[in-house]
Amino acid sequence: MTETESIAYDVVVLGAGPVGENVADRARAAGLSTAIVENELVGGECSYWACMPSKALLRPAIARADARRVPGLSGAVQGPLDAAAVLAHRDYYTSNWKDDGQVDWINGIGADLHRGHGRLAGPRRVSVEGPDGELRILTARHAVAVCTGTRALLPNLPGLAEVKPWTSREATSAHDVPDRLIVVGGGVVAVEMATAWQALGSQVTLLCRGHGLLPRMEPFAGELVADALKEAGADVRTGTSVTGVTREGPTVVAVTDTGERIEADEILFATGRVPHTGDIGLDTVGLEPGSWLDVDDSLRVTGSDWLYAVGDVNHRALLTHQGKYQARIAGAAIAARAAGVPLLETDPWGAHAATADHGAVPQVVFTDPEAAAVGLSLAEAENAGHRVRAVDVDMSSVAGAGLYADGYRGKARMVVDLDRETVVGLTLVGPGVGELIHSATIAIAGEVPVSRLWHAVPSYPTVSEVWLRLLEAYRDA
């Protein structure tokens, strides 16, 4: 391996997923020369193995479920999904795992793409080992941004590697529908992939170690999703741990903590994420390889004046949209500091502060029913010391819900800070609720008083009238 050149930039970005792309875009928009380094596909996890392929798999399942609840249409959609067509549609949305379009976009903003494995090589220095073994050194005048994301965490089970389990990557990119699939986990990846593959024709067994699904949401969210999975034919077991796994010919055998043996064709472990920072040279700048990176609200790594950690690697909110938000904040902060701005706007909700990470993070789980939440759950608010009141509404009480689907089942919870009289959390579960959550995000991020929300009139007859029902429940409590 030989070092062939050293190139200076204003900003160097490690990782060309959505987060890294947005940091580079903001830096270039400010007139800063920018390099972006990627050793896999430009576009990152979200484009090829997470958000886009998973939602392409889930959309037909959810659309069919919705259609089955509409009189005059339900009889026409009782058959199975066309699995081949669904998988082909998924392939289209991953660009068949080719990144030409993403590369064109990077070229279009004027950033330089360096293919290869990027590692920090001391302060403001990044070494890039190219596919041909050639080594380049990139230096950053102002900032290096680590945007390398996370990877799947597999449990420490003997022989697991020989079983060749699925992680989220295999679950979103598989080209054949297994007859039987074991899903281990109870979080978002587990329930979404259980929903998708059950709808595509697999017999899914979901094994969750905890007492309920979606443990980071209000308890009723996991309960309603579990009920729907069971009604769809999945075998959902909570309070169940996998203690061993083997592959016997084409069959995977999972052994539970009760000694039961469960057989399947494939097994998916959706048991968490770890930072993708093990081999990026953190030790050369006094940080621990493989660690999460602590940052301030401008996304600058604690104790550094040049290193930023944006997106999943800082462990603030492991969501693509939240990472892109952080990238916009970080890009603005990098540009301001590069321009010598003496005082950045780092107060809450300032231009250089990712304040939303602390209490206005939205998320949608694309199951049937959908689960959507933003802000704090009741338990989180109470644990944080807020004086709060929660009000619940059965969403079937909303006229628009009944029009949306016969037998509409769903629930909403609003959490109100009693001292400030503002909403600090909202959770919705039910068909189609993913499109409702942004209104709650605006209310929470804007700290809109409940008294003013009375004047935000929801259109009739839409499911958004759940807002009126929640406000009435709060007034009458």
Side-chain angles (χ1 to χ4, degrees), residues 53-120:
S54 67
K55 303 316 169 276
L57 292 173
L58 285 158
R59 179 59 191 147
I62 295 170
R64 182 181 64 172
D66 282 347
R68 285 177 171 177
R69 302 184 186 105
V70 178
L73 179 60
S74 59
V77 288
Q78 291 302 316
L81 293 175
D82 183 339
V86 173
L87 295 177
H89 184 64
R90 181 272 321 270
D91 294 351
Y92 169 80
Y93 270 95
T94 62
S95 301
N96 289 289
W97 291 273
K98 296 178 181 178
D99 62 3
D100 298 2
Q102 302 270 14
V103 172
D104 289 344
W105 182 86
I106 287 178
N107 292 334
I109 66 170
D112 289 349
L113 173 63
H114 293 266
R115 298 272 194 181
H117 192 124
R119 298 178 179 88
L120 295 170

Side-chain angles (χ1 to χ4, degrees), residues 327-359:
R328 296 189 292 272
I329 299 296
I334 290 168
R337 288 174 175 137
V341 174
L343 189 63
L344 269 62
E345 298 176 39
T346 55
D347 290 339
W349 307 111
H352 309 117
T355 310
D357 287 349
H358 303 300

Side-chain angles (χ1 to χ4, degrees), residues 254-281:
V255 181
T256 72
D257 49 358
T258 63
E260 183 181 4
R261 290 165 52 90
I262 302 173
E263 296 185 353
D265 301 286
E266 300 291 352
I267 185 168
L268 161 63
F269 280 90
T271 48
R273 309 287 297 180
V274 292
H276 213 323
T277 58
D279 188 20
I280 62 166

